[in-house]
Structures are given as C-alpha cells and as structure tokens.
C-alpha cells in the first residue's frame, strides 16, 4: 500500500500536537512517511506537508529524477461549420445523410467543448 497526498500536516514541526498525533497514528499502523525534505518553501517558511506513506520501511535508495521540457504544441485547427436547418420542412432522411458527412473525427483534437460544436 502506498498513499500520497497533500496532507497539510507539517512533519518538520514535531512540537505541534497534531504532528505528534499524526506520527503516532502512522507508527501504530506500522506505516512510514517517506518524504524528508520541505515540500513547500516560501521566503519566510519551509514546511513538509506533502507526504508519501507506505507499509514499506524503504521505498527506494534513489532520488527521483525528473525533467521539465517547454515545447510549443501547435493547436489543431478545425473548420467551423454552421448550418441552420428550417425545422418547418424537416426531412429526417436528408438530416441523417447530412449528419453522416460531418467531420466528427476532427472534434477529437479539440479540448474546448464549445469549439467542438
């Protein structure tokens, strides 16, 4: 079992009652908190409020490796089609034929629901 999250209990402040209670609960359940460095740092404070908890005494002997890569992704362009149908002379078979020709697959490249219309 591994639980990770923003617990908002600063384990760097062991003199606080809530921190002590939290660590007692983890200990009584034989759980281990694996993050040991501050996870929120400001100009005036540093706290360790984001935790990874598990039943394993040691998860890994390696530090996490990560990279941030800034790339520009070109946005998929779609042609907007607007057709207003006169419902007074609605022809269901004509509507179905028209609907079959719509480029529905093009909407899969668009994340904004309004742009899919």
């Amino acid at each position: 079992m591994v639980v990770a999250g923003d617990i908002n209990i600063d384990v760097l402040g062991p003199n606080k009652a809530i921190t002590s209670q939290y660590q007692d609960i983890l200990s009584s359940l034989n759980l281990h908190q694996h993050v040991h460095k501050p996870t929120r740092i400001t100009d005036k404070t540093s706290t360790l409020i984001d935790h990874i908890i598990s039943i394993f005494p040691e998860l890994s002997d390696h530090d996490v490796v990560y990279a941030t890569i800034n790339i520009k992704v070109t946005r998929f362009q779609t042609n907007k089609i607007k057709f207003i149908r006169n419902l007074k002379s609605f022809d269901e078979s004509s509507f179905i034929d028209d609907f079959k020709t719509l480029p529905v697959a093009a909407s899969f490249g668009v994340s904004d629901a309004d742009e899919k219309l």
Side-chain angles (χ1 to χ4, degrees):
M1 174 183 80
V2 176
V3 177
D6 184 357
I7 306 298
N8 280 333
I9 296 176
D10 182 15
V11 294
L12 294 179
N15 298 331
K16 294 183 179 179
I18 193 163
T19 303
S20 180
Q21 293 169 349
Y22 174 71
Q23 290 175 330
D24 288 346
I25 290 170
L26 293 180
S27 180
S28 70
L29 296 172
N30 201 28
L31 296 173
H32 306 275
Q33 201 291 109
H34 297 281
V35 183
H36 302 290
K37 295 178 183 175
T39 57
R40 183 172 189 274
I41 301 170
T42 68
D43 291 339
K44 298 180 182 183
T45 64
S46 61
T47 56
L48 198 166
I49 57 175
D50 304 295
H51 305 172
I52 298 174
I53 303 161
S54 80
I55 59 174
F56 309 108
E58 192 172 316
L59 285 181
S60 175
D61 60 352
H62 297 275
D63 283 340
V64 175
V65 177
Y66 70 94
T68 302
I69 301 171
N70 292 324
I71 59 171
K72 182 175 173 118
V73 178
T74 56
R75 185 169 173 104
F76 181 74
Q77 297 296 319
T78 61
N79 294 330
K80 293 188 179 194
I81 300 171
K82 185 173 183 178
F83 179 77
I84 299 172
R85 185 178 303 276
N86 182 352
L87 296 179
K88 290 180 182 178
S89 60
F90 180 73
D91 178 9
E92 183 177 351
S93 63
S94 176
F95 175 78
I96 292 171
D97 290 341
D98 287 347
F99 192 80
K100 288 179 182 177
T101 64
L102 290 176
V104 177
S107 71
F108 295 123
V110 178
S111 60
D112 183 11
D114 290 332
E115 291 185 30
K116 288 186 178 189
L117 295 176

